Amino acid sequence: MSIDAYHRLASLTLSGSHYDIGQGLGRQGARLVHGHLVKTHAWATVMAFRHNDRIRVARSLVEERYPPYWQELSGLADGLGLPFDEVFAWNCRGDVWAMAPDGCTTVQIPGPIPLIAHNEDGDPGLRSGCALASIIPDQGQPLTAFVYPGSIPGHTFAINGSGLVLTVNNIRSKLAGEGLPRMVLTRAVLDCATIDAALTLLSEAPRSGAFHLTLAQVGQSRLASVEFTHTNCSIAEIASPSVHANHLVHAKMASEPQIITGSSGSRQERGQDILDASDGSPEPLSILWDRERFALPIYRAQPDDPDTENTLATAIFKIGKDSVDWAVYDGAGSAARFENTCLKIATM
């Protein structure tokens, strides 16, 4: 797929207080938010919930437990030039609306040098406002993350200064409830120094919505797969090559009610078929860039995608003993847009 230069993934560097970082993210995304996002059905649907009790409880919990992220959200709203309650609600979109437009596919390959590969699927109308952001807060972990216009970092793919790698898949849970917004929880994961700290945070926090996370860390051979909902949290060690296409697949979560879209089900099946045929040595990009199922492919580029999502970027992380080699692509078949973007990692 050829990519117009206008759509090449941008880079962004931000530093300062959490408010400063949020404001910088807001300014980066303001054009696309005002020109596209606030005119969408998704925005209108979420705004209908902005005075809902679930949002009210979430606001109280974030302000009380995570003041730095409250400041990021405040700065984001100011940078966007939008009311705080609207921006806060948008960052709770998956907690109040199961069909929020976020998808994604992740490939997990364990071994001496574990590998995580991830397609970031989202609203194609936001493509030109997305960026790979290097963020250096005055307090907390430095991080590099894929960011969307109008959203705080942490709910896509990222790596922090402790070499903690995170990828996130949407889960369309039908039983969300009162608790911390899922996007605030994954933002908090990026301030964790270890996988164990992240797992403790996710399992013990009052959760509102649902997500799937893949976690890895420099110096460790483990790959952790986490599925959480409002009521349950499942943590599994990845022992064989696996794929996850944004719906609950852990046995522990079998009774959790969810929505599995046609695309999500097709991507899971097709990814597993490729893994089964790979003789244990899968090439991750051959999975993530696959279009064999023409109507519902893994790599999503159709303007009429039934979930209103396209693949906006692909990331690969190779987890070594003292470094993480990683690359980010902004089109199937293209050369890497970014490789090992400068982020000092503290080895374990």
Side-chain angles (χ1 to χ4, degrees):
M1 181 181 73
S2 64
I3 303 174
D4 188 284
Y6 178 70
H7 289 154
R8 297 310 303 264
L9 184 63
S11 62
L12 176 67
T13 301
L14 297 169
S15 61
S17 69
H18 286 277
Y19 176 88
D20 294 337
I21 288 164
Q23 187 177 52
L25 290 169
R27 289 170 175 165
Q28 159 75 14
R31 180 182 63 84
L32 261 292
V33 168
H34 288 276
H36 170 73
L37 182 58
V38 299
K39 302 174 183 178
T40 63
H41 168 73
W43 181 271
T45 301
V46 173
M47 290 309 107
F49 289 95
R50 68 186 184 276
H51 301 305
N52 184 275
D53 283 348
R54 194 178 299 171
I55 297 288
R56 178 184 54 78
V57 171
R59 286 181 61 152
S60 296
L61 285 170
V62 174
E63 189 172 20
E64 173 190 347
R65 298 191 180 203
Y66 291 116
Y69 314 141
W70 180 267
Q71 287 299 312
E72 274 186 21
L73 287 159
S74 296
L76 180 63
D78 289 348
L80 290 169
L82 289 173
F84 178 83
D85 65 338
E86 294 185 10
V87 174
F88 187 90
W90 181 245
N91 281 264
C92 298
R93 55 190 178 270
D95 305 289
V96 297
W97 183 39
M99 291 306 295
D102 303 285
C104 307
T105 306
T106 304
V107 177
Q108 308 147 323
I109 304 177
I113 301 178
L115 183 147
I116 302 173
H118 179 84
N119 273 355
E120 182 58 39
D121 298 346
D123 179 354
L126 296 176
R127 181 190 299 274
S128 63
C130 295
L132 190 70
S134 295
I135 295 171
I136 308 170
D138 291 340
Q139 295 182 323
Q141 291 267 2
L143 61 105
T144 298
F146 182 97
V147 294
Y148 282 96
S151 297
I152 58 173
H155 63 105
T156 57
F157 60 81
I159 180 172
N160 75 5
S162 293
L164 182 67
V165 173
L166 163 74
T167 65
V168 182
N169 292 342
N170 185 26
I171 300 294
R172 294 186 166 99
S173 173
K174 296 171 74 174
L175 282 181
E178 292 181 353
L180 284 160
R182 62 183 192 169
M183 287 172 56
V184 170
L185 286 174
T186 50
R187 175 66 185 90
V189 165
L190 289 178
D191 266 328
C192 290
T194 66
I195 291 180
D196 287 331
L199 297 178
T200 297
L201 184 154
L202 294 169
S203 61
E204 295 182 355
R207 302 173 300 270
S208 180
F211 261 156
H212 168 263
L213 284 67
T214 304
L215 293 166
Q217 188 161 24
V218 65
Q220 298 191 33
S221 61
R222 65 196 290 207
L223 287 179
S225 175
V226 184
E227 291 182 345
F228 72 77
T229 64
H230 172 58
T231 56
N232 207 353
C233 182
S234 173
I235 299 168
E237 297 276 336
I238 299 297
S240 60
S242 303
V243 64
H244 194 288
N246 84 279
H247 59 270
L248 299 170
V249 299
H250 290 189
K252 180 180 176 181
M253 308 298 272
S255 63
E256 292 277 329
Q258 63 173 323
I259 297 169
I260 303 174
T261 67
S263 171
S264 183
S266 177
R267 284 180 282 118
Q268 186 72 37
E269 291 174 3
R270 176 59 183 160
Q272 190 60 52
D273 287 347
I274 299 173
L275 286 177
D276 291 344
S278 69
D279 297 322
S281 302
E283 167 50 51
L285 289 179
S286 73
I287 300 173
L288 293 179
W289 289 350
D290 182 79
R291 302 187 196 183
E292 182 70 22
R293 294 190 173 184
F294 186 74
L296 296 172
I298 295 177
Y299 188 88
R300 309 164 76 182
Q302 311 99 306
D304 61 346
D305 178 272
D307 295 347
T308 320
E309 296 161 5
N310 278 187
T311 301
L312 305 181
T314 300
I316 295 183
F317 299 89
K318 297 178 181 178
I319 318 300
K321 293 183 178 180
D322 54 16
S323 65
V324 177
D325 290 333
W326 54 295
V328 177
Y329 303 81
D330 58 5
S334 67
R337 176 65 167 159
F338 301 105
E339 292 185 273
N340 297 328
T341 300
C342 184
L343 177 68
K344 185 177 182 181
I345 296 173
T347 55
M348 300 298 292

